[in-house]
Amino acid sequence: LLIRLHHMKFSRIFLLSALAAIGFTACDNVDEADRFDGPISVEGKKNVLIEDFTGQRCSNCPLAADKVAELQGLYGHDRIIAVSIHGGGLSVSEETNPNVGLANAQGNAYNTYWGVESWPSGLIDRSGGLLDFQSWQAEVIKRFMQDVKADVKISALTYDTDTRTVSFEVETENLDAAAVSGKLQVWLTESDIVRNQTMPNGSTNREYVHKHVFRASVNDPFGDAVTVNAGETLKKTYSYTLKDNWVPENMAVVAFVYNDADGVLQVTERNLAAE
């Protein structure tokens, strides 16, 4: 699979495959075995954000994690940005059980805000509402096809080992002919966390490796209001002090711009380990 990061038109094969995928998921009576699940060509600049609402006591949640890994394998980790948000009734609280739990107050608040009532559930680019993980691929393909109105970059990323403080700059560039307005959201995630997880067969895997776990919102929990005029770039500087039990080498900064009308305009990720 060739992944191109430069802007260009989607191929005819891409469009036909995407339409087929969307058509399959629009039918309520399609058996799981008959759902579209094949790779397609991905071109253009639009990245896609998957917010995976999950829990350590959720037996089907590892299947959603596998789906994320599959999509990232097909389209690239730089094109599919995933965040696992632990919260709700099947999660384990970090506050009450710090050596086991991965759910925090903000993760619970996101679950409540988006009305998550079953796990796993996911938001794809904050467009189309909550979806079962078996429907994620079709929505991902649909979002790849969107015009890119803004670009988001994380630059000047540094980590101070003495203070455990990460600092960086987020640049939002307007690529549209009109002003772009929305919210700039900046999160911290951590991967390769070994904690308990209930598995699909009902057993508990005490050596389960959790990926891209939501750790904290660096700015306002629902983002900073931004407006970027045509041809301009907005720069914002952020810093955050990591908790003692977070492993810097396994952490990443996720930044995205979204609004109610368009969903996520663009999303990007940068790992601290690369610095």
mmCIF file of all heavy atoms in Angstrom, residues 166-184:
data_model
loop_
_atom_site.group_PDB
_atom_site.id
_atom_site.type_symbol
_atom_site.label_atom_id
_atom_site.label_comp_id
_atom_site.label_asym_id
_atom_site.label_seq_id
_atom_site.Cartn_x
_atom_site.Cartn_y
_atom_site.Cartn_z
ATOM 1 N N VAL A 166 6.735 18.898 29.041
ATOM 2 C CA VAL A 166 6.761 18.899 27.590
ATOM 3 C C VAL A 166 6.248 20.256 27.104
ATOM 4 O O VAL A 166 5.263 20.778 27.622
ATOM 5 C CB VAL A 166 5.914 17.746 27.002
ATOM 6 C CG1 VAL A 166 4.476 17.800 27.486
ATOM 7 C CG2 VAL A 166 5.968 17.759 25.489
ATOM 8 N N SER A 167 6.951 20.833 26.137
ATOM 9 C CA SER A 167 6.573 22.129 25.567
ATOM 10 C C SER A 167 6.555 22.013 24.056
ATOM 11 O O SER A 167 7.378 21.296 23.465
ATOM 12 C CB SER A 167 7.555 23.221 25.995
ATOM 13 O OG SER A 167 7.623 23.328 27.403
ATOM 14 N N PHE A 168 5.652 22.737 23.425
ATOM 15 C CA PHE A 168 5.544 22.647 21.971
ATOM 16 C C PHE A 168 4.679 23.784 21.448
ATOM 17 O O PHE A 168 4.049 24.523 22.212
ATOM 18 C CB PHE A 168 4.933 21.303 21.555
ATOM 19 C CG PHE A 168 3.632 20.989 22.217
ATOM 20 C CD1 PHE A 168 2.430 21.346 21.644
ATOM 21 C CD2 PHE A 168 3.598 20.336 23.444
ATOM 22 C CE1 PHE A 168 1.227 21.071 22.261
ATOM 23 C CE2 PHE A 168 2.397 20.052 24.074
ATOM 24 C CZ PHE A 168 1.218 20.414 23.479
ATOM 25 N N GLU A 169 4.650 23.896 20.133
ATOM 26 C CA GLU A 169 3.838 24.896 19.450
ATOM 27 C C GLU A 169 2.913 24.191 18.472
ATOM 28 O O GLU A 169 3.319 23.232 17.805
ATOM 29 C CB GLU A 169 4.756 25.877 18.706
ATOM 30 C CG GLU A 169 4.049 27.076 18.102
ATOM 31 C CD GLU A 169 5.049 28.071 17.531
ATOM 32 O OE1 GLU A 169 5.565 27.808 16.430
ATOM 33 O OE2 GLU A 169 5.314 29.092 18.187
ATOM 34 N N VAL A 170 1.677 24.638 18.405
ATOM 35 C CA VAL A 170 0.716 24.099 17.434
ATOM 36 C C VAL A 170 0.389 25.179 16.416
ATOM 37 O O VAL A 170 -0.020 26.284 16.777
ATOM 38 C CB VAL A 170 -0.581 23.620 18.119
ATOM 39 C CG1 VAL A 170 -1.568 23.101 17.066
ATOM 40 C CG2 VAL A 170 -0.275 22.525 19.143
ATOM 41 N N GLU A 171 0.602 24.841 15.141
ATOM 42 C CA GLU A 171 0.337 25.772 14.049
ATOM 43 C C GLU A 171 -0.918 25.326 13.298
ATOM 44 O O GLU A 171 -1.017 24.174 12.879
ATOM 45 C CB GLU A 171 1.514 25.823 13.079
ATOM 46 C CG GLU A 171 2.834 26.199 13.724
ATOM 47 C CD GLU A 171 3.982 26.163 12.728
ATOM 48 O OE1 GLU A 171 3.711 26.109 11.513
ATOM 49 O OE2 GLU A 171 5.147 26.168 13.167
ATOM 50 N N THR A 172 -1.871 26.219 13.149
ATOM 51 C CA THR A 172 -3.081 25.950 12.376
ATOM 52 C C THR A 172 -3.064 26.842 11.145
ATOM 53 O O THR A 172 -3.142 28.060 11.244
ATOM 54 C CB THR A 172 -4.352 26.231 13.197
ATOM 55 O OG1 THR A 172 -4.312 25.462 14.402
ATOM 56 C CG2 THR A 172 -5.595 25.859 12.402
ATOM 57 N N GLU A 173 -2.941 26.218 9.987
ATOM 58 C CA GLU A 173 -2.856 26.960 8.724
ATOM 59 C C GLU A 173 -4.179 26.861 7.971
ATOM 60 O O GLU A 173 -4.724 25.765 7.784
ATOM 61 C CB GLU A 173 -1.734 26.400 7.854
ATOM 62 C CG GLU A 173 -1.583 27.108 6.510
ATOM 63 C CD GLU A 173 -0.548 26.467 5.614
ATOM 64 O OE1 GLU A 173 0.008 25.423 6.009
ATOM 65 O OE2 GLU A 173 -0.293 27.003 4.511
ATOM 66 N N ASN A 174 -4.695 27.988 7.529
ATOM 67 C CA ASN A 174 -5.924 28.001 6.748
ATOM 68 C C ASN A 174 -5.599 27.653 5.292
ATOM 69 O O ASN A 174 -4.796 28.326 4.647
ATOM 70 C CB ASN A 174 -6.574 29.392 6.829
ATOM 71 C CG ASN A 174 -7.930 29.449 6.145
ATOM 72 O OD1 ASN A 174 -8.289 28.565 5.373
ATOM 73 N ND2 ASN A 174 -8.691 30.490 6.422
ATOM 74 N N LEU A 175 -6.236 26.601 4.773
ATOM 75 C CA LEU A 175 -6.061 26.196 3.384
ATOM 76 C C LEU A 175 -7.285 26.519 2.539
ATOM 77 O O LEU A 175 -7.323 26.186 1.353
ATOM 78 C CB LEU A 175 -5.773 24.692 3.306
ATOM 79 C CG LEU A 175 -4.559 24.180 4.076
ATOM 80 C CD1 LEU A 175 -4.434 22.665 3.914
ATOM 81 C CD2 LEU A 175 -3.288 24.866 3.609
ATOM 82 N N ASP A 176 -8.266 27.187 3.134
ATOM 83 C CA ASP A 176 -9.519 27.478 2.461
ATOM 84 C C ASP A 176 -9.515 28.922 1.943
ATOM 85 O O ASP A 176 -8.674 29.729 2.328
ATOM 86 C CB ASP A 176 -10.681 27.269 3.429
ATOM 87 C CG ASP A 176 -12.002 27.046 2.721
ATOM 88 O OD1 ASP A 176 -11.984 26.620 1.556
ATOM 89 O OD2 ASP A 176 -13.051 27.307 3.332
ATOM 90 N N ALA A 177 -10.491 29.227 1.100
ATOM 91 C CA ALA A 177 -10.594 30.590 0.561
ATOM 92 C C ALA A 177 -11.264 31.537 1.541
ATOM 93 O O ALA A 177 -11.157 32.760 1.401
ATOM 94 C CB ALA A 177 -11.378 30.568 -0.750
ATOM 95 N N ALA A 178 -11.951 30.988 2.530
ATOM 96 C CA ALA A 178 -12.631 31.805 3.542
ATOM 97 C C ALA A 178 -12.011 31.539 4.909
ATOM 98 O O ALA A 178 -11.213 30.620 5.084
ATOM 99 C CB ALA A 178 -14.118 31.480 3.561
ATOM 100 N N ALA A 179 -12.383 32.351 5.888
ATOM 101 C CA ALA A 179 -11.892 32.160 7.248
ATOM 102 C C ALA A 179 -12.355 30.812 7.800
ATOM 103 O O ALA A 179 -13.458 30.345 7.508
ATOM 104 C CB ALA A 179 -12.377 33.290 8.148
ATOM 105 N N VAL A 180 -11.508 30.173 8.574
ATOM 106 C CA VAL A 180 -11.812 28.889 9.197
ATOM 107 C C VAL A 180 -11.968 29.104 10.699
ATOM 108 O O VAL A 180 -11.091 29.673 11.348
ATOM 109 C CB VAL A 180 -10.703 27.857 8.921
ATOM 110 C CG1 VAL A 180 -10.922 26.607 9.762
ATOM 111 C CG2 VAL A 180 -10.654 27.501 7.442
ATOM 112 N N SER A 181 -13.100 28.652 11.248
ATOM 113 C CA SER A 181 -13.358 28.804 12.680
ATOM 114 C C SER A 181 -13.658 27.450 13.304
ATOM 115 O O SER A 181 -14.238 26.558 12.653
ATOM 116 C CB SER A 181 -14.531 29.754 12.923
ATOM 117 O OG SER A 181 -14.232 31.061 12.491
ATOM 118 N N GLY A 182 -13.267 27.293 14.556
ATOM 119 C CA GLY A 182 -13.539 26.049 15.253
ATOM 120 C C GLY A 182 -12.854 26.031 16.599
ATOM 121 O O GLY A 182 -12.595 27.072 17.198
ATOM 122 N N LYS A 183 -12.561 24.835 17.068
ATOM 123 C CA LYS A 183 -11.863 24.636 18.337
ATOM 124 C C LYS A 183 -10.571 23.870 18.069
ATOM 125 O O LYS A 183 -10.563 22.888 17.320
ATOM 126 C CB LYS A 183 -12.724 23.846 19.312
ATOM 127 C CG LYS A 183 -14.015 24.547 19.737
ATOM 128 C CD LYS A 183 -13.739 25.687 20.691
ATOM 129 C CE LYS A 183 -15.018 26.267 21.275
ATOM 130 N NZ LYS A 183 -15.696 25.337 22.199
ATOM 131 N N LEU A 184 -9.496 24.330 18.689
ATOM 132 C CA LEU A 184 -8.220 23.623 18.642
ATOM 133 C C LEU A 184 -8.093 22.795 19.907
ATOM 134 O O LEU A 184 -8.048 23.328 21.008
ATOM 135 C CB LEU A 184 -7.059 24.611 18.522
ATOM 136 C CG LEU A 184 -5.651 24.027 18.687
ATOM 137 C CD1 LEU A 184 -5.361 22.994 17.600
ATOM 138 C CD2 LEU A 184 -4.602 25.137 18.674
#
